[in-house]
mmCIF file of all heavy atoms in Angstrom:
data_model
loop_
_atom_site.group_PDB
_atom_site.id
_atom_site.type_symbol
_atom_site.label_atom_id
_atom_site.label_comp_id
_atom_site.label_asym_id
_atom_site.label_seq_id
_atom_site.Cartn_x
_atom_site.Cartn_y
_atom_site.Cartn_z
ATOM 1 N N GLY A 176 48.099 42.352 -22.607
ATOM 2 C CA GLY A 176 47.442 41.707 -21.450
ATOM 3 C C GLY A 176 46.624 40.490 -21.840
ATOM 4 O O GLY A 176 46.377 39.620 -21.009
ATOM 5 N N VAL A 177 46.163 40.456 -23.131
ATOM 6 C CA VAL A 177 45.385 39.363 -23.626
ATOM 7 C C VAL A 177 45.758 39.172 -25.111
ATOM 8 O O VAL A 177 46.464 39.966 -25.711
ATOM 9 C CB VAL A 177 43.849 39.625 -23.516
ATOM 10 C CG1 VAL A 177 43.432 39.779 -22.113
ATOM 11 C CG2 VAL A 177 43.495 40.876 -24.356
ATOM 12 N N THR A 178 45.286 37.998 -25.634
ATOM 13 C CA THR A 178 45.438 37.799 -27.073
ATOM 14 C C THR A 178 44.166 38.216 -27.782
ATOM 15 O O THR A 178 43.085 37.708 -27.506
ATOM 16 C CB THR A 178 45.691 36.276 -27.329
ATOM 17 O OG1 THR A 178 46.958 35.935 -26.712
ATOM 18 C CG2 THR A 178 45.765 35.988 -28.837
ATOM 19 N N VAL A 179 44.263 39.052 -28.718
ATOM 20 C CA VAL A 179 43.142 39.588 -29.457
ATOM 21 C C VAL A 179 43.591 39.942 -30.866
ATOM 22 O O VAL A 179 44.725 40.426 -31.090
ATOM 23 C CB VAL A 179 42.525 40.848 -28.765
ATOM 24 C CG1 VAL A 179 43.522 42.006 -28.751
ATOM 25 C CG2 VAL A 179 41.225 41.195 -29.373
ATOM 26 N N PRO A 180 42.778 39.663 -31.891
ATOM 27 C CA PRO A 180 43.204 39.983 -33.274
ATOM 28 C C PRO A 180 43.211 41.474 -33.529
ATOM 29 O O PRO A 180 42.411 42.221 -32.980
ATOM 30 C CB PRO A 180 42.135 39.255 -34.140
ATOM 31 C CG PRO A 180 40.966 39.141 -33.236
ATOM 32 C CD PRO A 180 41.485 38.957 -31.855
ATOM 33 N N TYR A 181 44.154 41.883 -34.387
ATOM 34 C CA TYR A 181 44.222 43.290 -34.769
ATOM 35 C C TYR A 181 44.784 43.381 -36.173
ATOM 36 O O TYR A 181 45.361 42.463 -36.735
ATOM 37 C CB TYR A 181 45.093 44.076 -33.839
ATOM 38 C CG TYR A 181 46.613 43.849 -33.930
ATOM 39 C CD1 TYR A 181 47.400 44.697 -34.724
ATOM 40 C CD2 TYR A 181 47.175 42.803 -33.224
ATOM 41 C CE1 TYR A 181 48.769 44.434 -34.803
ATOM 42 C CE2 TYR A 181 48.564 42.576 -33.355
ATOM 43 C CZ TYR A 181 49.354 43.395 -34.159
ATOM 44 O OH TYR A 181 50.678 43.194 -34.261
ATOM 45 N N ALA A 182 44.570 44.540 -36.756
ATOM 46 C CA ALA A 182 45.124 44.858 -38.080
ATOM 47 C C ALA A 182 45.617 46.296 -38.082
ATOM 48 O O ALA A 182 45.064 47.148 -37.358
ATOM 49 C CB ALA A 182 44.094 44.627 -39.134
ATOM 50 N N TRP A 183 46.596 46.556 -38.866
ATOM 51 C CA TRP A 183 47.098 47.904 -39.072
ATOM 52 C C TRP A 183 47.105 48.186 -40.584
ATOM 53 O O TRP A 183 47.443 47.341 -41.379
ATOM 54 C CB TRP A 183 48.524 48.129 -38.535
ATOM 55 C CG TRP A 183 49.194 49.271 -39.208
ATOM 56 C CD1 TRP A 183 48.999 50.618 -38.950
ATOM 57 C CD2 TRP A 183 50.106 49.214 -40.284
ATOM 58 N NE1 TRP A 183 49.766 51.362 -39.767
ATOM 59 C CE2 TRP A 183 50.430 50.551 -40.661
ATOM 60 C CE3 TRP A 183 50.699 48.188 -41.079
ATOM 61 C CZ2 TRP A 183 51.302 50.868 -41.719
ATOM 62 C CZ3 TRP A 183 51.523 48.500 -42.116
ATOM 63 C CH2 TRP A 183 51.814 49.842 -42.432
ATOM 64 N N VAL A 184 46.692 49.427 -40.926
ATOM 65 C CA VAL A 184 46.764 49.897 -42.320
ATOM 66 C C VAL A 184 47.237 51.340 -42.278
ATOM 67 O O VAL A 184 46.803 52.136 -41.472
ATOM 68 C CB VAL A 184 45.421 49.790 -43.025
ATOM 69 C CG1 VAL A 184 45.494 50.340 -44.454
ATOM 70 C CG2 VAL A 184 44.915 48.345 -43.085
ATOM 71 N N GLY A 185 48.175 51.675 -43.155
ATOM 72 C CA GLY A 185 48.689 53.025 -43.238
ATOM 73 C C GLY A 185 48.051 53.831 -44.333
ATOM 74 O O GLY A 185 47.642 53.292 -45.347
ATOM 75 N N HIS A 186 47.982 55.153 -44.117
ATOM 76 C CA HIS A 186 47.527 56.066 -45.138
ATOM 77 C C HIS A 186 48.669 56.424 -46.093
ATOM 78 O O HIS A 186 49.673 56.996 -45.679
ATOM 79 C CB HIS A 186 46.963 57.353 -44.499
ATOM 80 C CG HIS A 186 46.245 58.265 -45.397
ATOM 81 N ND1 HIS A 186 46.827 58.889 -46.489
ATOM 82 C CD2 HIS A 186 44.935 58.649 -45.372
ATOM 83 C CE1 HIS A 186 45.936 59.652 -47.090
ATOM 84 N NE2 HIS A 186 44.806 59.518 -46.495
ATOM 85 N N SER A 187 48.501 56.048 -47.347
ATOM 86 C CA SER A 187 49.629 56.147 -48.302
ATOM 87 C C SER A 187 49.521 57.396 -49.192
ATOM 88 O O SER A 187 50.350 57.556 -50.078
ATOM 89 C CB SER A 187 49.693 54.917 -49.204
ATOM 90 O OG SER A 187 48.483 54.821 -49.943
ATOM 91 N N GLY A 188 48.542 58.243 -48.982
ATOM 92 C CA GLY A 188 48.315 59.314 -49.906
ATOM 93 C C GLY A 188 49.437 60.216 -50.216
ATOM 94 O O GLY A 188 49.625 60.651 -51.347
ATOM 95 N N SER A 189 50.354 60.510 -49.245
ATOM 96 C CA SER A 189 51.502 61.331 -49.478
ATOM 97 C C SER A 189 52.798 60.581 -49.501
ATOM 98 O O SER A 189 53.757 60.955 -50.160
ATOM 99 C CB SER A 189 51.596 62.407 -48.429
ATOM 100 O OG SER A 189 51.670 61.891 -47.142
ATOM 101 N N GLN A 190 52.876 59.443 -48.834
ATOM 102 C CA GLN A 190 54.101 58.672 -48.770
ATOM 103 C C GLN A 190 54.331 57.706 -49.970
ATOM 104 O O GLN A 190 55.425 57.685 -50.478
ATOM 105 C CB GLN A 190 54.162 57.799 -47.474
ATOM 106 C CG GLN A 190 54.209 58.648 -46.225
ATOM 107 C CD GLN A 190 54.452 57.755 -44.969
ATOM 108 O OE1 GLN A 190 55.296 56.926 -44.959
ATOM 109 N NE2 GLN A 190 53.637 58.006 -43.964
ATOM 110 N N CYS A 191 53.337 57.015 -50.387
ATOM 111 C CA CYS A 191 53.548 56.013 -51.491
ATOM 112 C C CYS A 191 52.255 55.650 -52.164
ATOM 113 O O CYS A 191 51.892 54.466 -52.209
ATOM 114 C CB CYS A 191 54.232 54.799 -50.972
ATOM 115 S SG CYS A 191 53.310 53.988 -49.561
ATOM 116 N N PRO A 192 51.489 56.646 -52.745
ATOM 117 C CA PRO A 192 50.275 56.266 -53.411
ATOM 118 C C PRO A 192 50.456 55.266 -54.491
ATOM 119 O O PRO A 192 49.571 54.436 -54.758
ATOM 120 C CB PRO A 192 49.735 57.629 -53.941
ATOM 121 C CG PRO A 192 50.951 58.506 -53.993
ATOM 122 C CD PRO A 192 51.835 58.109 -52.835
ATOM 123 N N GLY A 193 51.551 55.332 -55.259
ATOM 124 C CA GLY A 193 51.784 54.411 -56.338
ATOM 125 C C GLY A 193 51.983 52.978 -55.911
ATOM 126 O O GLY A 193 51.786 52.047 -56.731
#
Side-chain angles (χ1 to χ4, degrees):
V177 297
T178 295
V179 64
Y181 73 94
W183 158 78
V184 177
H186 189 297
S187 62
S189 59
Q190 294 188 47
C191 55

